Structures are given as structure tokens and as C-alpha cells.
Amino acid sequence: MAPTPLPMEPTGWFQVAWCTEITVGAVHRMKYFGREMVAWRSASGWIAVFDAYCEHLGAHLGYGGHVEGENLVCPFHGWEWNRDGRNVCIPYESHPNKGRRIRSYPVAERNEAVWIWYDIHGRAPHFDVPDVFTSFGDDKTAHDYYPPVPAATLHRQRLELHPQYVLENGVDFAHFKFVHKTPFVPTFTRHDFSGPVSFVDFTIAFDAGIAENDVNSGVESINAGLGCTVTKSWGMVDNRTMPAVTPVDDVTSDVRFTVWIGREPGDESPEITTYGKTMAAYIIEQFEADIHIWAHQRYSDPPALSRKEFDGFTALRAWAAQFYPDDGTVTDPGRRPANQGRTS
């Protein structure tokens, strides 16, 4: 990929793990937005995400740190930090150090995933992670779908792509015929970029035997910032998906993709079936075809748009601009909002 001119520290919610990866008492190491981080789950089940280094003498909490009750304990001198990143115990002193705080991030667990709110200026979240079921206003719940993790997921690490590329894919009607081999391009029925959460709906068919005028299937998409999208398909294989792209550093991002496949009638299996795995694999294959393009493309600004492409791309790029910082200045990075804990 040619270096992108887009900032790699956009504001918003970004997936950093699946919930099952962070068990009670675990300390999970990771790197996002150029920062070493740790995620950990307290005895009561709440997840916290910190910058990785102890504020005492800089030990990495992911190497030997452990959870005791509701606190994370540094392996170096036993200092204890609560979920807000505040020091609550120095084992050889009578009082904690109230003046120091590890940078913590607002956290949400939703849709089988762990999300952090990232904002270089430390501002609190101003929109939510959409629910892959309730956000679409129908009566479907998780029970109507096979559990997706881990069998119906994709995780590609440190690819040279930007989260905005994935969002632009949602308004790019022409690529469906060439990348996904649809018999004709989709018809967009909704573009709503009026707030930080946008909506993109279109009709589409993958069966070559369907005439363009007889299409009775489509996709609804909800985009919460640049890092989180949930989709619902209708009129075809019953599925919901969640692509999530999280910047790792100035060049690369991690890509995760979660697929819920609707249960076959009467199937109450606690695990995903062969049918579910087969359908999920097909959908993941389609998504991988996009990844192959994104990971090698150059961001064109201004792009050479056709007349039909102009409205969708210009609206999306104008919408995306709100998530980028005005400048590269980080204000008081050690004073982040308190961890919100679980939201669902």
C-alpha cells in the first residue's frame, strides 16, 4: 500500500478482541494506535483496557502482571491499579499514590467483541456501538443465529490499510460486479450521513439467474464511526456481519470480521453446525476478496469519480472528516475518561 495521507488515529470505537479472548484474571497484551496496551478482566467480570506501563517505574503490566480481585497488580513492586487506572495500593506504604493514573480507555462489550473508545484529546464517547440485532428494529435475537466465535470469524493482523477504505467500500456500487461477481451492480436505497452513525442500504443479488428488475434481496448497514460496522442481509441467506478495522500504528491495521448465520428451522444446537460454517465461509471469502484490494491500494485524493459515483463518495468522505483530529496534539494523555465497563 502507498502511505495513506489519512490520520491513523481517528476518534471512535474500535474492536481490540473478542470477549472470549479475555477471561477472568487474564492480562492480554496488544498494540493499537502505536501504543502498547493491556486488557484484563476483574474477578467480577468487568474488562479494563490500559496503556501497558506501570506509572511507578515503567514495568510492562502484560509481562508478569496479574489480577487480584478488582485490581491489576504490577509484577515489579506490587502496586495495584483499579479499572479506572488509579493507584489504590502500595504494599509497603500506608497510602496509595493518588496523583498518578495509568491511561485507561472507555470499554464496551457488545456483539461478542471488546471495543475501546479512542480519542487523542481524551474526550468522552458521543455515540454508541450499535447492536447487531436490536439496531435493525426487527425481532431477531442472538438465539436465532449460530454463535459465531471462533468458527465464523476472520482475523488478519497488521495489514497496510486504513479503516476508511472499508467504509468507502459501502458506497462503491461498481466494485460488486467485478470483485464479488454479482450479475449486476446494486441499487442504493439509502445514504444517511447526517450524524456520527451513518446508514447505507442497497438491494443486491448474487444469483446469476435473477433478472435485475426482480431483485428481492439486499443489505442494510450501520456505520458507527470508522471502526465499527454492523450489517443485516435480507432476502438471501439470513446473516449479519460485523467488519471492524483498528489501526495498529502509522501504517497498519488489524481487520476482524464476525459472521452470524441464521439457524436452520428447528435447530437448537449450542454450536455452529456444518451448514453454518459453510455459509459463513462463503461470506468470509467475499470479504477476503475486498481485503486483497484494500491492502494494496493507494488513497486517491481527489479520486477520479464517474458521474454516478460522485454523490456517494463525496458524502462519505465529508462524513468521515469529523472523526479526524484537527491537529496532532495530544492533550494530557494520562488523564483519560474512566472505564465505562460493560454496556450490554
Side-chain angles (χ1 to χ4, degrees):
M1 181 189 79
T4 177
L6 298 171
M8 289 292 277
E9 293 187 281
T11 294
W13 291 103
F14 295 89
Q15 186 181 355
V16 295
W18 281 283
C19 298
T20 54
E21 294 181 89
I22 306 174
T23 57
V24 171
V27 181
H28 180 79
R29 296 190 300 269
M30 55 197 187
K31 180 180 179 179
Y32 290 108
F33 302 100
R35 310 183 72 88
E36 294 289 329
M37 297 179 180
V38 291
W40 56 281
R41 192 182 294 274
S42 73
S44 61
W46 294 89
I47 284 183
V49 176
F50 288 178
D51 278 355
Y53 299 103
C54 180
E55 283 291 304
H56 176 212
L57 287 175
H60 194 299
L61 296 166
Y63 291 91
H66 67 281
V67 178
E68 287 189 9
E70 300 303 299
N71 301 327
L72 180 60
V73 183
C74 177
F76 202 6
H77 297 89
W79 286 35
E80 297 186 25
W81 305 87
N82 68 13
R83 294 198 314 271
D84 294 334
R86 298 190 182 279
N87 179 239
V88 293
C89 177
I90 301 173
Y92 45 87
E93 299 284 356
S94 58
H95 301 287
N97 187 326
K98 296 182 179 180
R100 298 302 287 267
R101 182 182 178 187
I102 299 174
R103 182 181 186 178
S104 63
Y105 300 84
V107 175
E109 287 192 80
R110 181 161 294 165
N111 304 331
E112 308 276 354
V114 178
W115 306 86
I116 65 168
W117 174 266
Y118 187 84
D119 182 277
I120 67 168
H121 297 298
R123 294 167 294 194
H126 59 274
F127 57 90
D128 295 326
V129 177
D131 187 275
V132 74
F133 300 109
T134 62
S135 295
F136 290 104
D138 55 21
D139 60 355
K140 294 293 185 69
T141 69
H143 182 73
D144 298 309
Y145 293 78
Y146 295 110
V149 181
T153 63
L154 170 77
H155 186 195
R156 299 282 298 277
Q157 297 177 278
R158 301 198 173 189
L159 299 180
E160 292 187 347
L161 60 86
H162 191 281
Q164 187 172 317
Y165 297 175
V166 184
L167 273 295
E168 292 193 0
N169 206 63
V171 297
D172 181 7
F173 63 86
H175 90 282
F176 284 92
K177 186 171 183 179
F178 299 96
V179 177
H180 303 298
K181 312 306 179 184
T182 61
F184 38 77
V185 299
T187 299
F188 283 86
T189 56
R190 184 184 187 189
H191 280 170
D192 181 352
F193 297 105
S194 58
V197 178
S198 67
F199 303 86
V200 176
D201 302 340
F202 53 89
T203 58
I204 191 171
F206 290 88
D207 188 343
I210 297 177
E212 186 169 0
N213 294 333
D214 295 330
V215 175
N216 191 28
S217 55
V219 176
E220 300 174 15
S221 300
I222 302 173
N223 307 306
L226 301 180
C228 174
T229 294
V230 293
T231 79
K232 167 191 170 182
S233 295
W234 56 272
M236 57 183 92
V237 173
D238 182 12
N239 75 85
R240 309 205 179 195
T241 74
M242 186 175 68
V245 181
T246 304
V248 173
D249 50 37
D250 288 341
V251 178
T252 66
S253 296
D254 281 2
V255 179
R256 291 178 175 86
F257 190 53
T258 309
V259 181
W260 287 261
I261 298 294
R263 292 179 179 273
E264 293 186 284
D267 186 355
E268 298 292 330
S269 172
E271 303 294 335
I272 190 169
T273 61
T274 299
Y275 162 79
K277 291 178 181 178
T278 300
M279 293 299 101
Y282 171 74
I283 294 167
I284 289 171
E285 181 182 13
Q286 293 293 323
F287 187 68
E288 286 184 305
D290 286 319
I291 291 175
H292 184 69
I293 302 293
W294 299 329
H296 302 283
Q297 78 177 82
R298 182 197 70 181
Y299 183 75
S300 294
D301 187 23
L305 298 173
S306 73
R307 179 179 57 82
K308 291 180 179 180
E309 295 169 325
F310 184 82
D311 288 346
F313 272 89
T314 54
L316 186 140
R317 289 193 174 189
W319 171 80
Q322 69 184 291
F323 304 108
Y324 296 117
D326 295 331
D327 54 52
T329 303
V330 178
T331 58
D332 199 12
R335 300 294 184 265
R336 289 285 162 172
N339 180 0
Q340 293 184 330
R342 292 172 293 193
T343 62
S344 66

